[in-house]
Amino acid sequence: MNENLEKIIANFINVDEVKSVSALGEGFINDTFVVKTKSSDTPNYILQRKNKSIFTNIPAMMENINKVTSHLKKKISEYGGNPLRETLTLIPAASGSFYFLDDAGEYYTMCIFIENTVTHQKADSPELAYKGAKGLGKFQKLLADFKEPLTDILPGFHNMKFRFNQWDITLQNDPLGRCKSVKEEIRFIENYRTEMLDFWKLVEDGTIPTRVTHNDTKISNFLFDKNDNVECVIDLDTVLNSTCLNDFGDAIRSYANTGLEDDTNLDNVSMDKNIFEAYKAGYLSETQSFLTDIECKYLDFSAKYITFEQVLRFLMDYINGDTYYKIKYPEHNLVRTRAQKKLFETMIF
Ligand code: GN1
Ligand code: MG
């Protein structure tokens, strides 16, 4: 094992028990490792180096996650579920906090790895979409009576006014002169400026309520069991108070996309209407008891809102010189932009 990682892991668990450490996953933001242990009596773990340039208050982020998972564990125990499998279990560092700050100024966190689960990149059937949506709906329902304050660790995250402020600055600066090569995409963003900002006004003035939301509900953030029921919702970095519509809409981007988020062949990309309808039915089966009429009214639109926001964020990062998202090749953010724009254009309700 790498000596540096060994020192970090030793802050959370006994390193003598560790068998192997390997990199995991496709996250755009953090670096993730699986820590396997020798004995079958000890769990395996997930170790993450959190991205501190994006998450500028990691102690507060971990406090949010601790509050939310503690609440979930209580509710899961109440209905007789397994709190070690149905939500994340954070491992405290030696200091007692849920993060370790190393000498290089990097933040590490650890949680239990949940074994024997299945992950998906998209929904291959309406049944899977229905069940996945029930998983999100249940997550929101279990948190509906959560009353503790959460720190807003990503101010403006799904806030269109904030995004357009960033956008206007990006276009003004155009640091690499890329704007001239993406005129069509810029025009697309400008065409929808008013409509998207009008929706956000409804959130700002309280017409659409805010709740505890996940804010990164791509299908790969849900662990399924072998019967395709959701066992656990993971990647809680972005739990915040926002509109639950964004969680619904963001899920559609992955569940119902017939292609990839970064498909280079736009012919592959479209929204599968059957998957969309199944997702909506599954979501409403869990949430109808608490959603307001106005939330129900804007469900379809929320898929467009969040996909639009994603086009804007990918394009903005491309223009800015790829400073936010990890990329695998130079034009990656542009490819992502075009694929999400195509997805948006096929969202016809
Ligand atoms: C980022 O790293 P990951 O895959 O969990 C991003 C989401 C985007 C997503 C695009 C904090 O999530 O908002 O929707 O990429 N997370 C953050 O796939 O910006
Ligand atoms: Mg995430």
Side-chain angles (χ1 to χ4, degrees):
M1 195 189 344
N2 163 318
E3 203 181 302
N4 190 33
L5 274 182
E6 189 174 321
K7 252 169 60 192
I8 291 154
I9 293 169
N11 249 277
F12 294 96
I13 55 168
N14 179 358
V15 271
D16 295 337
E17 290 179 357
V18 175
K19 186 168 74 188
S20 64
V21 182
S22 48
L24 171 86
E26 292 277 303
F28 292 10
I29 309 283
N30 300 316
D31 296 312
T32 306
F33 306 88
V34 185
V35 179
K36 293 216 163 132
T37 54
K38 292 171 190 159
S39 158
S40 54
D41 298 337
T42 14
N44 296 323
Y45 299 95
I46 291 287
L47 175 73
Q48 276 196 316
R49 177 167 48 232
K50 299 289 186 187
N51 185 321
K52 64 176 180 188
S53 61
I54 291 178
F55 299 116
T56 53
N57 190 350
I58 290 165
M61 171 169 96
M62 296 312 293
E63 211 29 66
N64 283 352
I65 300 176
N66 181 37
K67 283 182 188 170
V68 165
T69 53
S70 301
H71 180 90
L72 289 172
K73 282 183 189 301
K74 205 170 101 230
K75 305 286 277 203
I76 292 163
S77 301
E78 276 166 20
Y79 68 67
N82 182 346
L84 287 173
R85 288 190 63 81
E86 295 175 40
T87 189
L88 292 180
T89 303
L90 297 178
I91 305 294
S95 65
S97 335
F98 290 105
Y99 60 88
F100 168 61
L101 179 60
D102 77 354
D103 295 341
E106 297 293 338
Y107 286 87
Y108 289 83
T109 65
M110 196 180 256
C111 65
I112 291 183
F113 181 87
I114 302 166
E115 306 286 343
N116 303 318
T117 63
V118 182
T119 51
H120 299 275
Q121 297 309 315
K122 64 177 177 128
D124 290 323
S125 68
E127 289 74 31
L128 178 65
Y130 186 89
K131 289 177 171 176
K134 278 185 93 71
L136 171 63
K138 186 175 154 197
F139 176 83
Q140 290 180 347
K141 195 162 69 181
L142 292 177
L143 287 166
D145 61 345
F146 177 90
K147 292 284 174 276
E148 289 177 70
L150 292 175
T151 306
D152 188 4
I153 54 129
L154 288 172
F157 194 51
H158 287 317
N159 172 337
M160 201 56 78
K161 216 160 94 184
F162 172 80
R163 292 300 176 192
F164 267 110
N165 285 340
Q166 288 184 316
W167 168 256
D168 290 336
I169 294 169
T170 299
L171 292 197
Q172 250 169 37
N173 292 346
D174 191 15
L176 303 177
R178 284 180 168 174
C179 279
K180 59 180 176 305
S181 64
V182 289
K183 284 198 183 120
E184 191 192 322
E185 287 76 12
I186 292 177
R187 217 170 14 245
F188 166 85
I189 296 293
E190 293 300 339
N191 272 343
Y192 288 97
R193 185 189 279 258
T194 312
E195 188 182 355
M196 296 298 158
L197 285 170
D198 282 351
F199 170 80
W200 190 256
K201 276 186 207 144
L202 299 175
V203 179
E204 255 178 2
D205 71 13
T207 307
I208 293 175
T210 52
R211 305 176 184 280
V212 181
T213 47
H214 181 281
N215 296 296
D216 190 6
T217 50
K218 57 171 83 166
I219 189 170
S220 54
N221 279 337
F222 289 70
L223 304 180
F224 292 80
D225 68 14
K226 61 178 186 326
N227 299 317
D228 280 342
N229 291 312
V230 172
E231 263 205 291
C232 184
V233 186
I234 60 168
D235 188 8
L236 301 178
D237 292 356
T238 49
V239 245
L240 294 167
N241 291 105
S242 189
T243 158
C244 63
L245 292 174
N246 288 336
D247 280 357
F248 174 83
D250 202 16
I252 297 303
R253 286 197 316 111
S254 54
Y255 274 85
N257 187 350
T258 54
L260 301 172
E261 188 184 42
D262 58 353
D263 221 305
T264 47
N265 181 356
L266 294 183
D267 292 341
N268 292 338
V269 177
S270 66
M271 188 187 77
D272 183 323
K273 202 69 195 288
N274 287 332
I275 299 285
F276 173 83
E277 291 301 340
Y279 195 88
K280 187 172 166 181
Y283 181 72
L284 286 173
S285 75
E286 292 289 332
T287 58
Q288 216 148 25
S289 58
F290 63 86
L291 288 188
T292 60
D293 289 349
I294 188 104
E295 286 174 304
C296 293
K297 181 175 158 206
Y298 277 95
L299 266 188
D300 296 1
F301 180 77
S302 74
K304 295 184 75 171
Y305 179 86
I306 212 79
T307 308
F308 175 85
E309 184 196 296
Q310 202 63 68
V311 180
L312 188 154
R313 289 175 67 197
F314 284 147
L315 181 56
M316 194 158 68
D317 199 30
Y318 179 71
I319 297 170
N320 277 331
D322 311 303
T323 55
Y324 188 94
Y325 291 111
K326 288 184 194 170
I327 52 167
K328 291 188 177 154
Y329 52 90
E331 305 282 282
H332 202 169
N333 272 319
L334 184 56
V335 167
R336 288 166 171 157
T337 301
R338 289 182 174 150
Q340 291 295 293
K341 174 172 169 287
K342 171 73 194 296
L343 181 65
F344 177 96
E345 286 163 346
T346 63
M347 290 176 163
I348 298 156
F349 299 104

